Amino acid sequence: MPTWTVYGSPGKRCNACGCWEQSEVHALPGEGPEDADLALFGEALGANEEAQGVPFVGRAGEMLDGCLVEAGLLRSSCFIANVVRCRPVAIVDGVRRNRKPTMREINACRGYSTDDLARIRPRVVVALGDVAYTSLIGKDLGGILEHRGKVRWSDEFQAWVVPTIHPAFALRRYAERTWLVEDLKLAKRILDDGGVRPVEPTQVEIIGSVEHARAMREAIQIAGHVHFDTETVSNHPRYSLPFIYSFAIRERHAYVVARYLHLWTMHWSKT
């Protein structure tokens, strides 16, 4: 649920924000079918959106359109909007330039998005970038790269929220365009499957004795293959100190061997 102030009327939202004072377009509405199953929300208006009065146009819009098609989706079937409905502007050397919305602006404008989602009732909502994700979830959860591809259920909107990168990010780092396509494909799979399939938790087996370690070794020998990982206290190629080893021979199960106990007490002797 949101942790910020809810402004019920457009007038209160704009008075609480002030972004409109520098923007040539005020409270630009979203566009798309009123019964869309998929909604996409971006950050805020840019110069092209301000000039044309349409969300997601220009190079970022072209990037989004191409990724939608590659994911098997059509823009015409999606509802598309920005969580901040005016253009946040910074005046630099007398030139109007885009800037990132402030938390105050994100908060004040959030009511437009909640109104849209309550009216349209999509089954999946894609958050394009960290500003959109912050607004839709109702709190700042950090950078989008930590969350992209991880689906989250919203009780508020009764919809699945899929966070991903903003198309403008893919323009700057074209190799990451694949992330946007993958996440849009994920959104389509959710629509096709009717929801997210539950993931069974991994069973972790802590090796705490020599007998347990021997049993693990026997299981690995019988399996004939093993995947392993090592956790270290640093990334130094020569001096990093491993303190946990993990082994897996089947899905959803892992053996964990701790090299040290509390305060770096050795857990296993050399003998």
Side-chain angles (χ1 to χ4, degrees), residues 74-88:
L74 293 176
R75 177 175 177 137
S76 60
S77 65
C78 305
F79 181 84
I80 300 178
N82 286 296
V83 296
V84 174
R85 302 298 172 99
C86 294
R87 181 188 177 191

Side-chain angles (χ1 to χ4, degrees), residues 213-256:
R214 288 172 177 164
M216 177 190 71
R217 182 182 63 182
E218 182 178 350
I220 291 173
Q221 290 173 338
I222 293 173
H225 65 272
V226 63
H227 300 273
F228 70 92
D229 187 27
T230 303
E231 298 295 334
T232 64
V233 295
S234 75
N235 293 322
H236 195 282
R238 292 184 59 188
Y239 302 112
S240 59
L241 183 65
F243 64 94
I244 287 181
Y245 305 93
S246 57
F247 305 88
I249 57 176
R250 60 183 182 275
E251 292 186 0
R252 307 298 173 196
H253 181 274
Y255 297 104
V256 174

Side-chain angles (χ1 to χ4, degrees), residues 155-259:
D155 288 329
E156 182 181 8
F157 305 129
Q158 291 295 294
W160 295 103
V161 179
V162 179
T164 188
I165 62 173
H166 193 282
F169 181 84
L171 287 172
R172 296 191 299 270
R173 296 172 56 177
Y174 193 80
E176 273 66 51
R177 179 182 181 277
T178 56
W179 293 348
L180 179 53
V181 174
E182 288 174 3
D183 295 337
L184 290 172
K185 286 181 177 179
L186 173 59
K188 186 177 185 301
R189 285 198 301 273
I190 297 171
L191 289 174
D192 293 342
D193 296 343
V196 177
R197 297 172 182 171
V199 177
E200 296 180 4
T202 298
Q203 179 185 357
V204 177
E205 194 170 338
I206 306 297
I207 305 302
S209 67
V210 173
E211 291 75 16
H212 203 172
R214 288 172 177 164
M216 177 190 71
R217 182 182 63 182
E218 182 178 350
I220 291 173
Q221 290 173 338
I222 293 173
H225 65 272
V226 63
H227 300 273
F228 70 92
D229 187 27
T230 303
E231 298 295 334
T232 64
V233 295
S234 75
N235 293 322
H236 195 282
R238 292 184 59 188
Y239 302 112
S240 59
L241 183 65
F243 64 94
I244 287 181
Y245 305 93
S246 57
F247 305 88
I249 57 176
R250 60 183 182 275
E251 292 186 0
R252 307 298 173 196
H253 181 274
Y255 297 104
V256 174
V257 183
R259 185 181 181 188

